[in-house]
Amino acid sequence: MSPSDSSHAAERLLTLQEAIAIALQSIQPITEIESVPLLGAEGRVLAGDLLARLDVPPGDNSAMDGFAVHWSDLSPDVTTRLPVIGQALAGHRYAHPVPRGAAVRITTGALLPEGPDTVIMQEHCRIAPDETWVEIESRTTSRLRPGENIRRRGEDVQAGTIFLNHGRRLRPQEIALAAGQGLTHLQVIRQPRIAVASTGDELYEPGVELPPGAIYESNRYLLIGLLRRLGCAVTDLGILRDNRDALLSTLRCAAADHDVLLTSGGVSVGTADLVKEAIAELGQIAFWRLAVKPGKPVTFGRIADCLILGLPGNPVSVMMSFLLFARPLLLKRMGTEPAEPLRWRVAADFAVRRKPGRREWLRAQLQLDSEQRPLAGLYHTQSSGALSSLTWADGLVELPEDCASVAPGDAVDYLPFSALGVE
Ligand code: AMP
Ligand code: MG
């Protein structure tokens, strides 16, 4: 290798995929477990497999309001009239067997009485005004099958089977499934403790008057919200000034009792970019730049057992680097498997020329063309400082590293925010 090759190799930025693979290797999932009530379990990660104790439903029952009948009583040629000998209601067991030649009125969710094997929707029946009989026309019978409108015992969940696996992040529907098993509490992995700080002399909290040249800080509002959605316990360290000693002491303290320290700003190459140096002084940096746009200066390292993610300062870069880089790492730490986000192939409604080399995310909105095919349009500014591009967008167009241009109509990858955990 010539000297220029080796300096080029030393310069080469890690791709996003390489960086995630390196970082994932150094992350151990949290193993401490706690018990939480069902209504406090959303977003938490299951610590063990859940074994079903009960069949759901507990017995064969009706899927409709109607009449329980013996299929063999129904004539395919003429109208069948059956006496109605009782009522089976949800929550009550119908005590007697139902003989052939008789029907029972049944409500949705009621256990099927002994005897009948089919339920006919009441909308498909003619019912006597005094409800003493019910008639089923032959054309109704010809459209039905035996066993119609019956939900079988255990068809949703079977006792003795695992109905949710460990590592599963709990959404309302998983919690509801656990409730259906009569569980009141779930064993989940302890939440990761994440400390969040913004850095910069120009930053002020909303609510105070701004001195000249200052701006209100927005990154903590972005990051804390994203972290809470993910199911992390957040400590807000506030705004840290561009001051070496103050940075060192705050980062040292925070690293001692958190799983992850997330900062924004101060990791680029300016004279006031002191965060990277502070991390290097207190711990180790694994890498500090990625071949991505926006969000190139991402610093990844650790201070003792605390993972450090030094995100860039520009708000759009913060959101991109959080969603595409930090999120999978945090998910692994939380004890769940980070899945590659779903990308859709859609047509570009824009033109772009660019220098290949970095993976790029453009703030985009999907629309449908006249034939209902999805078309991705771009926000008018793609500046990494323009937060408004993120409130406008419903997702991102992802340009691969080697892409040099996009013409209208070209197929591009679109990542909906929903695939990244943000609606
Ligand atoms: P830095 O990486 O610290 O040089 O910051 C890059 C840009 O992001 C600068 O224009 C900063 O003013 C801006 N910035 C940094 N942190 C924040 C923040 N917390 N809120 C809004 N803008 C920020
Ligand atoms: Mg700064």
Side-chain angles (χ1 to χ4, degrees):
M1 203 190 268
S2 73
S4 70
D5 282 344
S6 68
S7 72
H8 178 76
E11 272 294 300
R12 193 179 77 84
L13 304 181
L14 290 177
T15 65
L16 178 74
Q17 252 57 28
E18 290 168 340
I20 289 177
I22 293 171
L24 283 177
Q25 271 177 13
S26 68
I27 293 172
Q28 294 306 319
I30 294 172
T31 51
E32 293 109 287
I33 292 171
E34 62 193 22
S35 173
V36 291
L38 286 191
L39 287 177
E42 200 184 331
R44 303 299 297 272
V45 176
L46 263 189
D49 295 342
L50 293 185
L51 192 70
R53 302 180 300 175
L54 306 172
D55 281 323
V56 178
D60 293 356
N61 69 96
S62 179
M64 294 288 171
D65 291 324
F67 293 87
V69 300
H70 293 261
W71 172 257
S72 53
D73 285 340
L74 304 178
S75 165
D77 309 315
V78 294
T79 296
T80 305
R81 178 183 285 205
L82 297 168
V84 178
I85 63 165
Q87 219 182 165
L89 299 172
H92 304 271
R93 177 168 279 284
Y94 189 82
H96 314 288
V98 178
R100 283 210 48 192
V104 160
R105 195 181 241 295
I106 193 163
T107 63
T108 306
L111 286 176
L112 197 66
E114 192 187 325
D117 56 6
T118 301
V119 169
I120 305 182
M121 282 170 75
Q122 67 184 42
E123 293 87 336
H124 293 162
C125 300
R126 205 162 81 85
I127 307 166
D130 62 359
E131 302 216 355
T132 53
W133 52 258
V134 61
E135 279 183 355
I136 301 107
E137 288 183 18
S138 56
R139 52 188 180 108
T140 303
T141 302
S142 64
R143 286 199 301 262
L144 290 175
R145 264 184 288 272
E148 193 105 7
N149 296 322
I150 289 172
R151 303 188 290 213
R152 297 290 166 198
R153 172 180 183 160
E155 76 173 26
D156 186 9
V157 180
Q158 235 185 325
T161 60
I162 290 170
F163 67 98
L164 287 174
N165 288 99
H166 75 276
R168 180 68 94 96
R169 262 179 93 216
L170 298 166
R171 300 170 297 173
Q173 57 265 50
E174 280 83 29
I175 296 168
L177 200 66
Q181 286 292 317
L183 298 174
T184 61
H185 288 71
L186 295 173
Q187 300 280 90
V188 297
I189 310 273
R190 162 176 80 71
Q191 284 184 304
R193 291 185 282 261
I194 320 272
V196 179
S198 288
T199 70
D201 282 349
E202 74 280 32
L203 305 177
Y204 284 78
E205 279 290 358
V208 304
E209 203 168 322
L210 285 182
I215 57 169
Y216 290 119
E217 108 93 349
S218 34
N219 289 345
R220 268 159 55 244
Y221 296 91
L222 190 57
L223 287 173
I224 292 173
L226 291 168
L227 287 164
R228 287 195 179 142
R229 266 175 185 245
L230 205 57
C232 301
V234 181
T235 306
D236 183 2
L237 299 179
I239 297 168
L240 309 181
R241 294 291 167 221
D242 293 321
N243 173 293
R244 184 178 168 277
D245 293 337
L247 279 173
L248 283 174
S249 78
T250 309
L251 299 190
R252 185 188 291 115
C253 280
D257 53 8
H258 288 87
D259 298 297
V260 181
L261 175 53
L262 206 58
T263 63
S264 70
V267 290
S268 200
V269 290
T271 46
D273 289 327
L274 305 168
V275 174
K276 198 162 69 252
E277 281 71 39
I279 299 168
E281 196 164 330
L282 297 168
Q284 301 87 41
I285 291 178
F287 51 82
W288 61 281
R289 283 191 306 175
L290 303 183
V292 299
K293 186 182 176 194
K296 178 166 86 164
V298 166
T299 300
F300 176 78
R302 56 172 62 244
I303 301 174
D305 288 336
C306 181
L307 222 58
I308 314 291
L309 291 166
L311 305 186
N314 278 308
V316 177
S317 310
V318 167
M319 183 133 163
M320 299 301 99
S321 51
F322 180 88
L323 293 179
L324 293 143
F325 176 66
R327 189 172 177 271
L329 311 186
L330 294 173
L331 286 172
K332 176 160 183 200
R333 188 84 176 114
M334 290 166 70
T336 194
E337 199 58 48
E340 188 60 35
L342 191 74
R343 287 152 171 91
W344 305 353
R345 293 295 269 175
V346 303
D349 194 21
F350 58 87
V352 162
R353 293 200 147 276
R354 61 173 225 130
K355 193 164 125 233
R358 291 197 267 162
R359 185 176 297 200
E360 184 167 1
W361 298 287
L362 304 168
R363 270 70 70 212
Q365 219 180 59
L366 270 199
Q367 248 136 33
L368 297 178
D369 69 10
S370 55
E371 279 151 53
Q372 303 295 305
R373 286 177 307 216
L375 208 55
L378 297 187
Y379 192 57
H380 63 81
T381 166
Q382 293 290 328
S383 156
S384 60
L387 259 181
S388 57
S389 67
L390 289 170
T391 59
W392 177 87
D394 49 28
L396 306 168
V397 162
E398 183 177 65
L399 304 181
E401 287 80 357
D402 60 359
C403 169
S405 66
V406 177
D410 284 356
V412 289
D413 279 340
Y414 168 82
L415 279 114
F417 279 146
S418 56
L420 298 162
V422 203
E423 286 92 48

